[in-house]
Amino acid sequence: MTRRHAGWTSILLATVLALFMALSPVNAAEPKSGGILRFATIGEPPSLDIQVVASDLVSTIAQHIFETLFTFDSSFDVVPLLAEDYTITENGTLYTIKLRQGVLFHNGKEMTSADVVASLNRWKDVSSRGKIAGDYITSITAPDKYTVRLKLKSPFSPLLSFLAFQNTAAAIYPKEIAETAGVNPPKEYIGTGPYVFKEWRPDVYIRVTKNPNYAARTEAPNGFGGNRTGYVDEIRFIPVPEVATRIAGVQSGEYDFADQISTDQYARLKNDKKIQTIIVKPYGFGELIFNKTKGLMSNVKMRQAALAALDMGEIMQAAYGTPDFYDLEGSFYPKGTIWYSSVGTSNYNQKDIAKAKRLMQEAGYKGETFRVLTSMQYDYLYKMSLVAADQWEKAGFKVELQVVDWATLVQRRANPDQYDVFVTSHGFVPDPSLITFLSSQYAGWWADATKESVLNRFNSADVKTRSGVWGELQNLIYEQVPAIKTGDFFNLSIASPKFQGYVPSVWPALWTVWLDR
Amino acid sequence: MERYILKRVLSVIPVLLVVAVVVFALIHLTAGDPAGIMLGDNATPEDIARLRAELGLDRPLITQFWIWFRNLLRGDLGDSIFLHRPVLQAIIERAEPTLMLTAMSLLVAVLIGVPTGVISAVKRNTWVDRLFLTTGLLGASIPSFWLGLGLIYVFAVNLAKLPSAGYQPIADGVWGCLRYLILPSLALGFPNSALITRITRSSMLDVLDQDYVRVARAKGLSVNKVVLKHALRNALVPILTVVGLTFATLMGGAVVTETVFNIPGVGRLVVQSVTRRDYPVIQGIVLVIASLYVFINLVVDVLYTVVDPRIKY
């Protein structure tokens, strides 16, 4: 099988163009260069090691500094970024990637295949997603200065998505940094991206400045792909954990942009002329993840009963308030994406207490305590938990709500003795293979032979047939109920009126933004 | 006096020892794991176990305590798990905003509390007295975060006269630094002025009833002179005590105020460190604040001898 990027059909290009136009920037006016953009972020990242740290905040900041071989366009198709071209041969087990020439790191050194080999080797050793891909990769070699070869022991069709994803990203670091960093964060943040890391004043800001030597792609900006040359001279990522302070900061002009604003503030903020409100779709979905290893919910009928009892409308309304910020969708992917599928979704939002009771009886439920692990640290998760617990109680479950802070939840969910279900959310990911609970390693531990078999087929399927196999996998999720999707939710961002050109995204990319001063 | 100070300094040692043990035990007995927080949501148990081992968190608690305590005796508070830098450095980097905020808030509290307390005493049981006491009670009842948000809404968002959040180091300009501190120090200082008002009032009432005050008035001295020169000076010892205590309270209150006003100080660091379970930073900050508390008490005790020469140690 040979697939060349250059050979993509004109239909695909037309579709991408149409989707790109649909996802056009928030404001379309003549871009202006210069200025300092102040982005109030939700907190301080532990490091900017985008290969290792799975936080969205790290991805958001570090994607301005580091780049990957591939990325996603506005329709979530994989497109080359640092790669020039690629071929997949030998039944999907040999990826030959041609690199772009003349791409400079921020230290002035040219990026070559040696840097890519060292970076990908580190990524497959230290990154949680890199390790999944690493299980398939047998060797990463550099036949010449601008070519990299990845040899796989068996086909792994989501590999390009893995290489493109900016969370625990396969970012390219200079060879000497990738080799010396090991599992620790690099001592220097040197990438090839449109912005150069300049300064990190803890709790004050992370400052990046426009890369004067940025080797931009020639294609027009499209999603995360195409030309990434930035407009503003400098971006300051300012940690502002308190949401009220983020709002007041944008209203008073202290910040230009703020992310993750409480959706219950929307009605007030949308009429405020000092700011613009931005709704980010798709953003994520709520999850109730069962402990399948031990205890009450290791019985599939009990999990099915828990699913049958839930009224997702009540849950999502409690968590997100207005329907502007949620969608009762059973498919794990929204309509319009290649992964949308209605298979299995008849089991979503059943609101069927009688069915739940019947399943509980079949499971032999005798009133054992159903431990729901949740956190108040994220208000929407807590509200989601309260309503779900109430509905489960109505169905006859003896619910014990364990409310802890997030750090404790993260620790407890790793112990199968301590809970039956934990409440969390999952950010939108461009490829289903990136969904965390599909891994048997992830808390809740969905280790089932049928699932492994379908997942293996999904991971080795031809690109054209993968969406069909994903439908099977989604169906299995609704049958075995390893986790419950409560619904899609969206994010509210706010910006000052001068903030222009932004394309809403889970990981705000600010190279498209200019300040209308 | 030197002997007394030396004795007080030495008495700090067992206090800090107890603080060290209690803080270490409390933090480590609380659930939560810094490794899980650092690696993010999709980290595997193997990743978390590896990082735990690397941070030494897999060792027995007593071993962890001994390593930390041994380093502490050498003046080393350890390294922050999250910030990848020495704890002492992290505290020093954030000390200026907290000290400036605390000092400014204390100034606000004293400038409001002492004059209103004196006037209340002089005008006892009049409408002025009741007005000040009621206002003080109201101030003490308002949570500083609520007052902070209200001040931001009025002065930063609507009037656009002052910044809503952040901090400018004093080295970059005194006025710039003060502009950032006006709203937070009002939010923190005003609620704390109530106690100073009440103590000043009651201390002044005691003194104003003394014979020497009556004599001074009978000699023909003006009310202002009697009140400010004779009475206030003698009423200062309890006021000084409460001002010292307020300074320590303000250090604690800075935790909330720094969060609301996004001031990169020690208070915000401690909140974040608790969320992240950054054990060495929490331990370090608590120890430093406990030392500071003891030091402030010592300074207040020494100041008693300055304002009242009858007091001797």
Side-chain angles (χ1 to χ4, degrees):
Chain A
M1 180 181 73
T2 302
R3 186 183 161 200
R4 296 187 69 83
H5 167 60
W8 285 6
T9 63
S10 55
I11 293 168
L12 180 62
L13 284 171
T15 312
V16 167
L17 189 64
L19 280 162
F20 171 63
M21 289 174 78
L23 289 167
S24 58
V26 170
N27 277 296
E30 194 59 37
K32 293 171 186 162
S33 292
I36 299 174
L37 196 163
R38 293 149 309 161
F39 175 1
T41 62
I42 57 160
E44 181 101 337
S47 79
L48 294 181
D49 192 354
I50 195 170
Q51 288 196 346
V52 174
V53 187
S55 122
D56 286 330
L57 179 60
V58 174
S59 303
T60 298
I61 300 171
Q63 67 179 345
H64 294 83
I65 303 163
F66 304 107
E67 292 183 311
T68 41
L69 294 173
F70 299 91
T71 190
F72 294 99
D73 67 12
S74 54
S75 57
F76 304 109
D77 272 329
V78 175
V79 291
L81 183 58
L82 288 174
E84 181 69 51
D85 200 357
Y86 69 98
T87 59
I88 306 171
T89 53
E90 298 184 12
N91 290 323
T93 59
L94 183 65
Y95 286 66
T96 306
I97 301 167
K98 281 273 178 204
L99 304 176
R100 286 164 56 211
Q101 297 187 22
V103 175
L104 299 181
F105 281 111
H106 300 152
N107 61 5
K109 200 192 92 171
E110 190 190 14
M111 178 200 69
T112 67
S113 53
D115 303 302
V116 176
V117 170
S119 299
L120 294 186
N121 272 322
R122 178 176 187 262
W123 175 70
K124 77 180 178 64
D125 289 342
V126 300
S127 153
S128 53
R129 289 197 170 93
K131 282 178 187 171
I132 297 172
D135 285 344
Y136 292 85
I137 298 169
T138 51
S139 68
I140 303 170
T141 52
D144 64 49
K145 199 176 171 188
Y146 299 108
T147 308
V148 176
R149 273 195 194 131
L150 280 81
K151 181 77 186 130
L152 274 55
K153 63 183 177 195
S154 60
F156 182 59
S157 41
L159 182 63
L160 292 183
S161 295
F162 273 63
L163 292 175
F165 195 35
Q166 61 267 66
N167 192 264
T168 55
I172 306 306
Y173 298 166
K175 179 177 184 274
E176 52 283 4
I177 289 177
E179 285 181 347
T180 51
V183 295
N184 298 310
K187 291 208 163 32
E188 292 174 283
Y189 296 120
I190 294 173
T192 57
Y195 284 88
V196 180
F197 174 83
K198 279 290 167 192
E199 187 186 10
W200 187 336
R201 291 180 62 193
D203 287 341
V204 180
Y205 57 64
I206 292 171
R207 190 161 72 87
V208 298
T209 56
K210 192 170 167 178
N211 179 1
N213 304 313
Y214 181 58
R217 293 194 70 90
T218 51
E219 303 94 327
N222 181 356
F224 293 98
N227 189 334
R228 287 183 166 193
T229 306
Y231 290 105
V232 297
D233 292 335
E234 183 176 316
I235 306 170
R236 291 183 183 183
F237 298 96
I238 304 166
V240 188
E242 182 60 40
V243 69
T245 312
R246 290 205 291 280
I247 295 172
V250 175
Q251 286 175 319
S252 66
E254 205 75 24
Y255 313 125
D256 301 304
F257 177 68
D259 204 9
Q260 296 195 26
I261 302 302
S262 312
T263 53
D264 54 10
Q265 299 289 320
Y266 180 61
R268 181 171 71 87
L269 296 174
K270 71 178 176 186
N271 296 318
D272 188 338
K273 290 188 173 58
K274 287 178 185 165
I275 59 165
Q276 29 174 336
T277 50
I278 302 159
I279 299 177
V280 187
K281 296 180 187 182
Y283 195 77
F285 54 87
E287 288 180 313
L288 313 168
I289 297 186
F290 293 108
N291 172 4
K292 279 109 21 214
T293 305
K294 273 186 177 177
L296 194 62
M297 289 297 159
S298 58
N299 184 333
V300 68
K301 283 204 185 293
M302 287 298 289
R303 302 201 296 269
Q304 288 167 343
L307 173 62
L310 294 182
D311 178 344
M312 304 307 184
E314 282 184 3
I315 293 175
M316 295 303 281
Q317 192 185 16
Y320 300 99
T322 151
D324 290 319
F325 291 98
Y326 69 86
D327 190 14
L328 299 180
E329 173 58 71
S331 166
F332 277 74
Y333 279 84
K335 284 183 181 134
T337 62
I338 58 163
W339 303 111
Y340 174 78
S341 170
S342 60
V343 183
T345 56
S346 57
N347 282 340
Y348 172 76
N349 199 18
Q350 297 172 63
K351 302 179 257 185
D352 192 342
I353 299 281
K355 182 181 172 186
K357 284 183 187 294
R358 197 185 69 237
L359 285 163
M360 286 157 78
Q361 200 174 15
E362 284 172 23
Y365 180 60
K366 292 187 180 64
E368 297 94 327
T369 304
F370 176 29
R371 296 162 302 171
V372 180
L373 185 58
T374 187
S375 174
M376 240 188 219
Q377 206 161 323
Y378 298 100
D379 189 47
Y380 63 98
L381 293 184
Y382 180 62
K383 288 174 179 167
M384 224 157 67
S385 322
L386 284 181
V387 180
D390 181 55
Q391 293 174 359
W392 281 328
E393 274 181 356
K394 281 180 184 150
F397 285 95
K398 188 186 165 196
V399 179
E400 182 187 292
L401 206 58
Q402 298 184 347
V403 186
V404 294
D405 72 336
W406 188 248
T408 309
L409 186 145
V410 171
Q411 189 191 39
R412 283 199 192 166
R413 74 181 184 191
N415 185 344
D417 293 319
Q418 293 198 332
Y419 68 97
D420 296 306
V421 67
F422 71 91
V423 184
T424 185
S425 64
H426 199 296
F428 175 82
V429 284
D431 189 298
S433 53
L434 298 161
I435 294 175
T436 47
F437 74 80
L438 294 180
S439 162
S440 56
Q441 301 287 306
Y442 185 71
W445 310 277
W446 192 21
D448 173 78
T450 315
K451 170 230 135 180
E452 292 300 336
S453 156
V454 182
L455 189 60
N456 280 339
R457 270 199 295 124
F458 177 64
N459 284 341
S460 57
D462 178 78
V463 173
K464 289 170 195 157
T465 56
R466 285 186 79 217
S467 59
V469 187
W470 164 242
E472 280 182 55
L473 203 48
Q474 183 173 281
N475 192 45
L476 201 62
I477 294 170
Y478 277 103
E479 271 177 22
Q480 295 197 359
V481 202
I484 293 175
K485 179 191 174 184
T486 57
D488 289 320
F489 63 84
F490 314 126
N491 179 41
L492 176 62
S493 301
I494 54 173
S496 69
K498 64 182 180 178
F499 183 85
Q500 306 276 309
Y502 176 58
V503 183
S505 162
V506 178
W507 309 277
L510 301 177
W511 50 82
T512 64
V513 172
W514 71 90
L515 297 173
D516 192 11
R517 284 161 297 155
Chain B
M1 172 70 101
E2 290 79 9
R3 232 177 112 82
Y4 172 76
I5 292 174
L6 185 70
K7 217 168 98 183
R8 285 289 301 269
V9 169
L10 288 176
S11 72
V12 168
I13 294 168
V15 171
L16 291 185
L17 194 69
V18 171
V19 170
V21 175
V22 170
V23 168
F24 186 91
L26 275 180
I27 292 169
H28 283 79
L29 293 176
T30 309
D33 182 5
I37 299 295
M38 276 181 80
L39 290 175
D41 202 44
N42 65 354
T44 62
E46 290 77 32
D47 290 332
I48 293 171
R50 176 185 51 73
L51 188 58
R52 281 181 61 77
E54 204 177 297
L55 298 171
L57 299 171
D58 58 338
R59 295 178 190 165
L61 210 54
I62 198 82
T63 314
Q64 290 184 49
F65 177 76
W66 174 240
I67 294 169
W68 175 70
F69 190 70
R70 204 179 49 198
N71 290 336
L72 188 66
L73 292 178
R74 291 200 288 256
D76 178 4
L77 292 173
D79 288 340
S80 161
I81 294 170
F82 192 86
L83 302 168
H84 309 289
R85 64 184 65 214
V87 170
L88 196 59
Q89 188 191 339
I91 295 173
I92 290 169
E93 282 168 354
R94 289 160 179 81
E96 185 198 305
T98 302
L99 290 174
M100 286 297 293
L101 172 64
T102 310
M104 280 280 287
S105 305
L106 188 67
L107 194 67
V108 167
V110 169
L111 286 181
I112 295 173
V114 174
T116 52
V118 170
I119 294 168
S120 274
V122 174
K123 306 273 184 192
R124 79 179 93 168
N125 299 328
T126 65
W127 66 270
V128 179
D129 182 22
R130 280 190 284 274
L131 176 74
F132 284 161
L133 288 180
T134 313
T135 312
L137 186 68
L138 199 70
S141 312
I142 296 175
S144 61
F145 75 89
W146 190 88
L147 185 60
L149 290 174
L151 289 169
I152 290 173
Y153 187 72
V154 174
F155 292 100
V157 175
N158 282 326
L159 299 175
K161 295 290 181 199
L162 292 165
S164 62
Y167 178 74
Q168 182 182 305
I170 199 158
D172 295 348
V174 176
W175 172 234
C177 176
L178 291 179
R179 277 188 79 234
Y180 278 93
L181 285 174
I182 290 172
L183 294 184
S185 51
L186 274 173
L188 186 56
F190 179 61
N192 281 286
S193 66
L195 184 64
I196 299 179
T197 303
R198 292 199 75 91
I199 297 294
T200 306
R201 181 180 178 275
S202 85
S203 180
M204 281 294 287
L205 285 177
D206 287 346
V207 175
L208 288 173
D209 284 341
Q210 303 274 327
D211 290 341
Y212 74 89
V213 173
R214 222 167 287 126
V215 170
R217 285 289 292 134
K219 275 166 67 185
L221 290 178
S222 68
V223 175
N224 285 352
K225 206 164 185 180
V226 172
V227 169
L228 297 176
K229 199 176 169 193
H230 296 271
L232 183 60
R233 175 146 192 189
N234 284 300
L236 266 183
V237 169
I239 298 172
L240 208 57
T241 309
V242 82
V243 167
L245 286 174
T246 304
F247 189 80
T249 312
L250 291 172
M251 294 281 292
V255 169
V256 176
T257 311
E258 285 178 7
T259 305
V260 172
F261 286 92
N262 210 44
I263 297 170
V266 178
R268 218 179 89 186
L269 178 64
V270 79
V271 172
Q272 290 173 337
S273 302
V274 169
T275 314
R276 300 164 183 158
R277 297 292 191 275
D278 196 340
Y279 301 137
V281 175
I282 307 170
Q283 288 157 190
I285 291 176
V286 173
L287 270 185
V288 168
I289 290 180
S291 312
L292 211 59
Y293 200 99
V294 174
F295 174 74
I296 289 164
N297 274 328
L298 178 61
V299 169
V300 169
D301 287 352
V302 171
L303 280 179
Y304 289 160
T305 63
V306 178
V307 296
D308 188 348
R310 290 170 301 179
I311 299 173
K312 283 196 171 58
Y313 297 116

